[in-house]
Amino acid sequence: MYIISACLAGVNCRYDGGNNFEPHIVKLLNEGKAILVCPEQLGGMTTPRLPCEIVGDNYGSKKVVNIEGKDFTKEFLKGAEETLKIAKLIGAKGAILKARSPSCGKGQVYDGTFKKRLVKGNGITADLLEKNCIKVYTEEDNIDDIK
Ligand code: SF4
């Protein structure tokens, strides 16, 4: 079983109320091999919501703020914990998450300036899953390799 970012399956949970539908990802869901999650909704964020990005704080840890500077770190951490709980419950082999998202991104995320600049790093949920030995992929990886 896999965890999949719900927006990749066409669920309108993205910050702007839209989705990131990827037909090749939905195949796994239709085959009964995946469960959908939206960590930001699981963390209590509303939809729609203002966009958020990860920034470093003065002590070297990560914070997540929206474009108006409001701190949503607690909600992002909660969403990550809930997603991990679900992944463990279903015995997930891995997760296919939305690239570059502050929750779901793997390897690259936006830099906190809201200017579409990318930096190396993981989203908060992707990071927690990987720390718990759940392999994270994005929709940009080859699904055939994942299966
Ligand atoms: Fe999609 Fe993840 Fe953002 Fe939810 S948190 S909208 S699943 S990228």
Side-chain angles (χ1 to χ4, degrees):
M1 288 294 282
Y2 289 87
I3 290 283
I4 293 182
S5 290
C7 59
L8 294 176
V11 177
N12 290 336
C13 52
R14 212 171 62 176
Y15 75 92
D16 59 1
N19 65 71
N20 302 297
F21 182 62
E22 292 282 350
H24 71 294
I25 303 288
V26 172
K27 209 168 149 255
L28 269 182
L29 186 66
N30 292 339
E31 290 168 356
K33 294 178 181 163
I35 296 273
L36 302 181
V37 295
C38 174
E40 288 173 29
Q41 288 191 336
L42 286 170
M45 304 286 287
T46 58
T47 304
R49 52 194 174 274
L50 290 174
C52 289
E53 291 190 5
I54 296 172
V55 294
D57 69 12
N58 295 334
Y59 307 99
S61 26
K62 288 177 180 175
K63 280 200 310 183
V64 187
V65 297
N66 74 10
I67 197 165
E68 292 178 344
K70 190 167 175 204
D71 191 336
F72 284 99
T73 309
K74 195 161 56 80
E75 287 79 358
F76 275 67
L77 289 172
K78 163 100 172 135
E81 291 288 350
E82 293 299 319
T83 301
L84 176 62
K85 224 184 275 176
I86 293 168
K88 285 183 172 170
L89 274 174
I90 64 165
K93 275 203 287 190
I96 304 158
L97 303 183
K98 173 73 190 81
R100 295 176 287 281
S101 148
S103 290
C104 296
K106 156 88 190 294
Q108 275 192 319
V109 287
Y110 293 108
D111 72 352
T113 61
F114 295 91
K115 291 182 176 161
K116 299 280 174 210
R117 290 192 203 132
L118 291 166
V119 287
K120 281 187 185 165
N122 292 332
I124 304 294
T125 294
D127 218 34
L128 186 67
L129 293 180
E130 290 230 305
K131 281 179 181 147
N132 283 273
C133 303
I134 295 169
K135 179 93 178 118
V136 176
Y137 305 88
T138 77
E139 76 281 12
E140 294 170 355
D141 290 313
N142 187 342
I143 284 294
D144 293 332
D145 291 346
I146 295 169
K147 284 201 282 180

